[in-house]
Amino acid sequence: MPAEQTKQLCRMTRDQLKEAIRLLEEFLDYTNIPRLMEETPEKEGMEEYYREYLSDLRVLLVSCQIAYEKISLVLRRATFKREFAEKVLSEIVHSCIYNFYYPRNEVYEEDGRYSYTQHDAIKFRRQPAESLRKLTIDLSRIFEKLRDELDYYETDYITRTRMLKTD
């Protein structure tokens, strides 16, 4: 991929991460388990579910913050280093995108059958409070865009890296 295209991809990634961080911080700064329980009609077993869910969101937030710092560093350098940018973009796929789509506590999952329809592709293990459901759906739009842009790039980067090692 040409350097200018990689730079554009870095800018788009930085902007998407910034929005994800904003949404996560806004939610986590003002939300706690008792507040979520107030929004929940079916309370049995939900406190533990919310504890796991919020834990996964905090891990995702930290991953996004670290990735944002790295991609910002890539773009701030006086000379754009394509190889470094490619490495950082690859790390973002593994840290942020995978953390979103495969949360450690499996509080939700992606149902690929819905990804090409107008339905939300996120299926929740339990029915969460509406504010948490909305946050997750909003985040899924951000991470879907990142995945669409970076998945192809990630595959290309891994292939080129392997080819260079065999030469």
Side-chain angles (χ1 to χ4, degrees):
M1 179 178 287
E4 190 52 42
Q5 245 183 316
T6 304
K7 196 172 194 176
Q8 282 300 108
L9 189 57
C10 288
R11 287 186 189 118
M12 183 279 301
T13 300
R14 181 192 58 199
D15 293 345
Q16 293 298 308
L17 287 172
K18 184 176 183 177
E19 179 61 12
I21 290 167
R22 185 190 68 75
L23 290 172
L24 285 162
E25 284 179 339
E26 190 175 287
F27 185 84
L28 292 170
D29 285 350
Y30 297 100
T31 304
N32 56 28
I33 293 172
R35 179 168 169 226
L36 291 171
M37 292 298 287
E38 288 174 11
E39 293 181 48
T40 307
E42 179 60 45
K43 306 231 187 280
E44 190 172 327
M46 291 304 287
E47 188 170 329
E48 182 61 27
Y49 178 68
Y50 287 142
R51 187 172 283 109
E52 292 173 347
Y53 211 127
L54 293 176
S55 174
D56 286 344
L57 290 178
R58 286 189 289 273
V59 168
L60 179 63
L61 174 59
V62 170
S63 296
C64 289
Q65 289 170 327
I66 291 168
Y68 181 81
E69 289 172 20
K70 285 183 177 181
I71 202 73
S72 295
L73 174 65
V74 166
L75 291 166
R76 269 196 318 267
R77 289 194 161 174
T79 304
F80 183 76
K81 306 277 189 205
R82 195 185 87 213
E83 202 169 288
F84 179 55
E86 291 171 347
K87 183 176 187 266
V88 169
L89 290 170
S90 177
E91 288 174 9
I92 289 169
V93 170
H94 292 284
S95 62
C96 301
I97 295 172
Y98 288 1
N99 274 339
F100 177 76
Y101 283 106
Y102 307 103
R104 183 180 63 225
N105 292 303
E106 299 177 349
V107 292
Y108 60 81
E109 64 184 7
E110 180 184 31
D111 187 342
R113 295 175 294 179
Y114 289 98
S115 57
Y116 299 104
T117 68
Q118 296 303 317
H119 297 94
D120 295 324
I122 301 297
K123 300 297 169 212
F124 299 92
R125 187 176 70 193
R126 304 197 62 167
Q127 188 56 45
E130 181 57 27
S131 61
L132 188 52
R133 190 194 76 73
K134 182 183 179 328
L135 170 71
T136 306
I137 299 304
D138 289 347
L139 288 170
S140 75
R141 292 184 183 109
I142 291 170
F143 287 103
E144 186 175 333
K145 182 175 183 174
L146 282 171
R147 181 175 61 183
D148 288 347
E149 294 295 327
L150 299 181
D151 251 3
Y152 168 77
Y153 179 80
E154 165 64 2
T155 304
D156 186 51
Y157 175 73
I158 288 173
T159 303
R160 280 187 291 116
T161 303
R162 285 185 184 149
M163 286 174 47
L164 288 173
K165 288 180 182 177
T166 60
D167 289 342

